[in-house]
Structure formats: structure tokens, C-alpha cells
Amino acid sequence: MRTSSGRTREPRWPLARRIRAAVASAGAILLLTSALVPTAAIADPPPEIPVIHLDKTASPTPAQRSLNPGDTATYSFNVECSSLTTECDNFAVTDTIPAPLVLGTVSTPAGIHSTITTAGNTFTVNFIQPLEDGQNGLDAGHQIGFTATATVPGSVSASYNGQLVTNTATATASNVPTPVTSSADVKLAVPTVLGATVGKSYSPATVNSSPNVTTTIALAPANSSNIGVDKL
């Protein structure tokens, strides 16, 4: 287009056309920039930490009756590994039967691979079910039960009469940072039984039956009660 002064002027684009051109140009620059900038890798979320459930009960309970010398208590254990995605690796339950009770038998958990070890009044149930993560332990969502017995010895001291005996078990897994515990009580009834014995010895042990021979007899009293006494 030629102006009145004789100069040539380029034709002006309509405003809408100029806006569309600017937007297209900006979009091309954005696409080019995105192609040149590397995309950051998205990290996998950390594995879920499973939750251990441990419930322990005793029979008979203190409310039901007390245990006499020679009686047996039965402890029931119910355990579970709670998780949507993660198993409980190297899962184990350990329990030490407290004095004066004496550990009896420990039942094998049904339906799962396990081992039981005992040492004195302590036992450990190790769950060795093969897991998807390559470890051994307890499957997620798996509930397991087992029992253990403990006996009140016949020679228990009467000082335990009326006492509550608390037994605490602990459940652990190598991928669970905090162990879980559960406790159960039994009550003892130990009546006092008083008794005494007397030991006797001679010195010398043998003598000839002759006049003027002296023999010393020593008496040794002893407490045979099931509780301490002040005097014999």
C-alpha cells in the first residue's frame, strides 16, 4: 500500500489474527522448552509398615478362681499381621513364664510353618512361612492362635498366697520398629502348712557296750513348713 507521501506501508493484520499468531508462537516455544528439560523420575513410595496384633488371655482368670499348688493355667495367644501390601518379616512371639509358675507345654500354631524353642521358663514361637518378599514370617491378614501351659509347683511358698502373677508376651517382626506386648494375670491360693523335722546323730557313731563310755547325741531341728517361721 502506498501513502500520500509516496512511501510503501505494509498492510496491518487484524487484531484477532495478531493475537492468534502470538499464542501459536508462545505455544511452540513452550513445547520446545518442555522437550529440552528432562522429566524428574517419580520415586516409589516407601513400603507400608505392617501392624502387629497380639492378644493374650489366661484361664482360669482371677475372677473365675485362684490356682492352688499343683494346678495348671492355660494361656491363649492370638496374633495377626495387619497390612494391605506388606507381610511381617521374621515374625516371632516370646514369653517368659514368671515365678513361681513352671512352663509346661506350648502348642504348635495350626496352618502355618513355625518352630518352637524353649529355655527354662522362656519359649519363642518363630513363624517361618515363606513370603512374597523373599523373607520368612507371617502373611498379611493372617490370624494365628496357639496355647501354652504353666503349673503351680506343689512346693510353692505360702508367701504367694493371694498374689496376682502377671505374664507378659512380646511379638516382634524385623520390619516393624516397635515390639507389641500383651499381658494376662492369674491368682494364687497357697494355704500355709506348718511343719518341723528333727534330725539326730551320734558321736561316735558306734561304741562298745562298756561302762564309762560317753556318747554325744546331736539334735538338728528344721522347718518343713511352706513358709518361713520365727522360731523352732
Side-chain angles (χ1 to χ4, degrees):
M1 179 183 295
R2 188 176 298 275
T3 65
S4 58
S5 60
R7 291 181 297 179
T8 301
R9 185 173 62 181
E10 295 295 331
R12 300 188 65 182
W13 292 352
L15 178 60
R17 185 177 179 183
R18 282 183 287 162
I19 292 175
R20 287 195 298 269
V23 170
S25 178
I29 295 173
L30 180 61
L31 289 174
L32 179 60
T33 304
S34 300
L36 295 176
V37 176
T39 302
I42 300 176
D44 292 332
E48 178 189 6
I49 297 177
V51 177
I52 294 174
H53 297 284
L54 170 62
D55 182 49
K56 176 181 181 179
T57 59
S59 178
T61 65
Q64 291 172 333
R65 70 176 182 87
S66 298
L67 294 172
N68 298 307
D71 285 348
T72 297
T74 300
Y75 296 99
S76 297
F77 302 79
N78 288 287
V79 298
E80 180 184 3
C81 176
S82 179
S83 172
L84 295 177
T85 59
T86 308
E87 299 92 353
C88 291
D89 295 342
N90 303 303
F91 187 81
V93 176
T94 299
D95 192 356
T96 298
I97 302 297
L101 302 177
V102 178
L103 174 64
T105 61
V106 182
S107 70
T108 300
I112 193 170
H113 297 299
S114 63
T115 62
I116 300 173
T117 59
T118 61
N121 257 19
T122 299
F123 70 87
T124 299
V125 179
N126 294 288
F127 295 82
I128 54 174
Q129 188 75 19
L131 305 176
E132 292 183 359
D133 61 2
Q135 301 290 325
N136 292 330
L138 184 61
D139 291 319
H142 211 150
Q143 297 183 10
I144 295 294
F146 63 94
T147 61
T149 62
T151 301
V152 183
S155 59
V156 62
S157 170
S159 61
Y160 285 102
N161 184 51
Q163 288 195 18
L164 287 177
V165 179
T166 301
N167 185 5
T168 301
T170 302
T172 59
S174 60
N175 58 340
V176 178
T178 304
V180 174
T181 61
S182 182
S183 300
D185 295 332
V186 295
K187 190 174 183 179
L188 304 187
V190 186
T192 298
V193 178
L194 298 177
T197 60
V198 177
K200 183 170 59 175
S201 62
Y202 296 87
S203 180
T206 59
V207 294
N208 294 324
S209 179
S210 302
N212 302 320
V213 175
T214 301
T215 299
T216 302
I217 302 175
L219 301 178
N223 177 28
S224 60
S225 307
N226 63 353
I227 195 169
V229 295
D230 294 331
K231 294 181 180 180
L232 287 175

